[in-house]
Amino acid sequence: MLTKSIKDWGLGVDTKKPILIAGPCSAETEEQLIETCKQIASKTNTSILRAGIWKPRTRPNSFEGVGKIGLPWLNTVKQQTQLPVTIEVANTAHVELALKAGIDVLWIGARTTVNPFAVQEIADSLKGIDIPVMVKNPINPDLELWIGAMERLHLAGINKLAAIHRGFSVVLSGPYRNLPKWDYPIELRRRIPGLQVICDPSHICGKRALLQGVAQKAMDLDFDGLMLESHINPDQAWSDAAQQVTPDDLKKLIDALLIRKPASSDPLFIDKLDSLRGTIDHLDQNILKLLGQRMEIATEIGKYKKENNIAVLDLERWKTIFDTRMKMAGANNLSELFADGLLQAIHQESIKKQTDVMNNSMIEE
Ligand code: PEP
Ligand code: MN
């Protein structure tokens, strides 16, 4: 299990927050890789340079990466920039070649994290090796699978771990290529204190125009760093052209980020914040008390329906509740998405209370 006793979670390379990881989606040619990385290193405060050597593509017969011939190019990049380099590994052969080539940091891609067999094989091939590994979220929104992948690596002795949030492949992803689920990285940090969490705006956005907003949001949520794709000639990139930016635009994006302090020692600020938080504590207490009372009434209704042999769900009543409460929520400045989720959760719990009564079951699900 991911124990709290581990002190050295994190990439273990000399990095200041926010850690910046940048480079092209793919290494295409020696010139493209070296020129891109040199420009990134000279124009920005990037800590680690990235490039894909083996590319997991959706369809065959598209560019699947240059393969191992790109590894010596990364060595040249290291020498010329004096920065550590990272590549994606998806199987044991990749791991062996990466280690032999002196790659400093590995990352596991979203399409690999999703597969416990693949992750276990990679973890086994890393036994006894002290190398930082970054684990992208799986393509589907499954927090446990993401944690599970890190557990497999941790159990194999890898302690220098970081998680990368690159969004999730869902049917309705709005303007994004991969929908970000900001509660997941927050929950990750709650469950694994000390774990470094990086945001990958490039794969979340899929297009340049959205990058700044997503990168800023990650900073506002206190992510430890960013992974961003950059290419000397983005429009001509052999993979992920629409989301890559020139090293100059990468610099602009980073310079425009507002890095706010996580806390303040100003007594006036602390006083005011404490008072506002006191009000929140009080309101939460009331909300939970009221919800408890609401559930007690739901249980009573369940008993009454049982005595009279009436079914639990009354669709018309639920429709009325939903419509009226959504209006009330709107009038109280609550967003539709939030109100919808809250009402559904309350209704589900009420139904559960009533079915428990109906079936006399006290079994915890
Ligand atoms: C990548 O970083 O280029 C990549 C393939 O990412 P992901 O695994 O997030 O799709
Ligand atoms: Mn990419």
Side-chain angles (χ1 to χ4, degrees):
M1 302 320 89
L2 295 175
T3 55
K4 286 184 190 174
S5 62
I6 292 158
K7 296 272 188 288
D8 53 354
W9 288 112
L11 296 175
V13 284
D14 185 20
T15 47
K16 284 192 286 306
K17 203 171 161 181
I19 303 160
L20 194 60
I21 303 161
C25 177
S26 303
E28 299 165 3
T29 66
E30 189 167 12
E31 297 67 39
Q32 166 260 358
L33 179 68
I34 293 173
E35 188 51 30
T36 304
C37 290
K38 270 169 57 181
Q39 286 196 24
I40 292 172
S42 70
K43 292 170 201 272
T44 70
N45 54 350
T46 291
S47 308
I48 307 173
L49 291 163
R50 62 149 281 156
I53 293 289
W54 300 283
K55 299 304 299 177
R57 305 307 297 278
T58 305
R59 306 278 302 270
N61 299 324
S62 54
F63 172 61
E64 295 194 307
V66 291
K68 64 182 178 188
I69 59 157
L71 293 169
W73 307 345
L74 281 158
N75 241 301
T76 312
V77 163
K78 268 176 77 161
Q79 279 163 14
Q80 297 200 1
T81 62
Q82 296 295 307
L83 287 175
V85 291
T86 182
I87 64 169
E88 173 176 351
V89 290
N91 58 40
T92 51
H94 294 168
V95 171
E96 272 169 35
L97 288 163
L99 294 176
K100 229 186 268 165
I103 299 296
D104 304 282
V105 178
L106 305 177
W107 93 74
I108 296 187
R111 291 164 194 77
T112 307
T113 309
V114 82
N115 180 349
F117 290 130
V119 174
Q120 191 58 54
E121 279 185 19
I122 292 170
D124 290 342
S125 69
L126 284 170
K127 271 206 177 110
I129 294 156
D130 183 26
I131 187 166
V133 183
M134 304 185 287
V135 182
K136 288 205 177 192
N137 64 253
I139 42 180
N140 57 322
D142 185 337
L143 184 67
E144 300 306 318
L145 199 54
W146 194 3
I147 293 179
M150 289 186 277
E151 272 173 342
R152 288 176 196 280
L153 289 158
H154 172 50
L155 288 170
I158 298 287
N159 289 330
K160 291 174 185 153
L161 277 167
I164 303 178
H165 181 221
R166 52 77 79 192
F168 298 91
S169 181
V170 294
V171 180
L172 296 173
S173 61
Y176 303 108
R177 176 179 174 193
N178 292 295
L179 187 71
K181 281 185 76 68
W182 300 107
D183 52 324
Y184 278 29
I186 292 171
E187 176 63 7
L188 259 191
R189 281 183 301 180
R190 194 184 68 81
R191 300 241 307 250
I192 314 168
L195 178 71
Q196 280 179 332
V197 186
I198 310 286
C199 179
D200 171 352
S202 303
H203 292 90
I204 289 177
C205 299
K207 45 181 154 324
R208 276 165 223 140
L210 302 178
L211 292 173
Q212 188 80 49
V214 167
Q216 184 61 52
K217 172 123 187 180
M219 292 300 92
D220 291 339
L221 294 180
D222 200 28
F223 272 71
D224 295 283
L226 298 170
M227 180 187 254
L228 285 155
E229 288 186 340
S230 175
H231 189 291
I232 36 164
N233 196 353
D235 286 332
Q236 303 304 317
W238 298 0
S239 60
D240 289 352
Q243 69 195 32
Q244 302 205 60
V245 292
T246 60
D248 277 321
D249 285 343
L250 178 70
K251 176 180 167 31
K252 279 186 206 149
L253 189 158
I254 295 157
D255 287 349
L257 287 175
L258 298 169
I259 313 291
R260 298 178 173 99
K261 297 173 289 182
S264 164
S265 52
D266 174 359
L268 274 176
F269 170 83
I270 294 173
D271 256 17
K272 170 93 180 160
L273 190 66
D274 278 354
S275 139
L276 290 169
R277 284 181 171 165
T279 311
I280 289 265
D281 291 347
H282 183 66
L283 288 171
D284 280 353
Q285 214 179 356
N286 284 342
I287 290 171
L288 292 168
K289 201 165 149 189
L290 285 171
L291 282 173
Q293 286 172 4
R294 191 193 191 284
M295 293 308 158
E296 270 172 32
I297 305 283
T299 306
E300 215 175 295
I301 292 179
K303 284 182 196 150
Y304 193 55
K305 283 182 179 168
K306 186 179 182 182
E307 280 160 23
N308 292 279
N309 204 23
I310 306 290
V312 166
L313 181 67
D314 178 343
L315 200 55
E316 283 312 309
R317 165 77 180 150
W318 167 231
K319 276 187 196 162
T320 311
I321 289 188
F322 189 80
D323 293 346
T324 52
R325 279 29 163 203
M326 285 300 278
K327 281 201 190 94
M328 288 177 205
N332 282 290
N333 288 330
L334 299 173
S335 78
E336 259 182 46
L337 189 69
F338 170 72
D340 187 321
L342 181 67
L343 289 171
Q344 301 279 3
I346 292 174
H347 189 230
Q348 282 306 310
E349 183 65 8
S350 291
I351 287 181
K352 185 178 177 303
K353 292 268 181 225
Q354 293 193 23
T355 35
D356 281 354
V357 171
M358 291 276 174
N359 303 318
N360 273 339
S361 126
M362 298 309 279
I363 303 162
E364 280 296 311
E365 276 165 30

